[in-house]
Amino acid sequence: MLNERLWIAIALATRSALGFCVSPPPRTAIRRLSVLDDIGNKLEEFAAPPGDEVLPKGPFGVVVTGGAAGVGYAYADEFLRRGHRVVICDVKDPAAAVEALRAKHGDFVFGETCDVSDAKSVRAFAAAAKEKLGTISYWINNAAINGGRRPFLEVPDDVIEAVVRVNLFGVLVCTKVAMEIMLDQTSTPGHIFNTVGSGVRGGGTPGYVTYGAAKRGLPQMTDSLNAELEGKTQGYTWPPPGKASVGVHTLSPGMVFTDLLLKDSTPELRKFPFGVLAASPEEVAADLVPKILAVEGTGTFVEYLSKERTLSKFYNRFIRRQKSQVIDDDGNVIRRDGVDYNADGVRMLY
């Protein structure tokens, strides 16, 4: 159910708008539009991230895996815009991404090649990130692959293995290495964010069986780690006394217009739900980064498609009749002049 305060706000906005129009304006349509806008604005207000005035003061050191493209690149961009220092990694050379970010924000971003499915590669990357940042306050496990959209029996064995190794093993080993670093940082708390996707709430993911299964394991992993961090491991004194505070959290960016979403998609999927609920990487990062910075303790679920934002998106599309700026009425990606896109219609960020 929706937040009670949200329903009250909607009711008040509706009553206020109708009351304002006791003397009918020349056109009834203007009155109706005013009511719709008041309600829509109230929904957007409730969906908004926390303001800068409540966020901790930095700068902080931030690690983003899978940061050379998509929402990972947008996270790095937003953290840098806010004055923080960032190290990104990617399985491909992230030099071009680093160059683009430095052109906007200066020399406060670094990049490393890292295969998160390989423990030795992760440890080498973590050591380099620690050296460059000094203190790592936020570690975002964003790197992921989905193996393409197709029936499970058509997925090659090596693709199944790769999807599980990146999306589950990779998050496990990255989290372990990040915790080791953060527990020894007595100067500041550390926070790790594990990115979930389709299947996280237990529903089926036809076409993405392996991806959904791997992502479904992350909430259990995070819940178990939180119990350990709270000292609930019977027979062990853990976490050890004198260590720094570490929080492990869940990060849900929802549907983002990236390769992960659009590759192998159909016009029907692109019209709904993508055309209604999906957002650009920049929109998602602008919403999630302040939420990430605002977390305390451990076990926070940070999401873009909250109940309030989901309702706002449905309201804007079906009540206000606002159309998607990315998907047209036929389910095609809208390509704008002067903008670069890849073969799947994904807009290039740099």
Side-chain angles (χ1 to χ4, degrees), residues 238-272:
W238 203 94
K243 293 292 185 179
S245 169
V246 176
V248 181
H249 314 275
T250 300
L251 186 63
S252 176
M255 301 177 189
V256 191
F257 286 117
T258 63
D259 280 322
L260 206 65
L261 185 74
L262 289 178
K263 188 175 180 62
D264 301 323
S265 63
T266 64
E268 289 74 19
L269 280 173
R270 292 193 291 269
K271 282 191 289 187
F272 184 83

Side-chain angles (χ1 to χ4, degrees), residues 151 226 331:
N226 284 322

Side-chain angles (χ1 to χ4, degrees), residues 153-166:
L153 292 183
E154 295 181 10
V155 182
D157 294 348
D158 61 336
V159 173
I160 293 175
E161 180 179 2
V163 170
V164 173
R165 287 188 63 83
V166 171

Side-chain angles (χ1 to χ4, degrees), residues 179 219-234 236-239 246-248 298-299:
M179 288 179 68
Q220 202 283 337
M221 163 199 166
T222 304
D223 288 346
S224 298
L225 281 174
N226 284 322
E228 289 192 3
L229 289 166
E230 293 169 358
K232 296 179 180 178
T233 309
Q234 294 185 6
Y236 294 91
T237 302
W238 203 94
V246 176
V248 181
T298 191

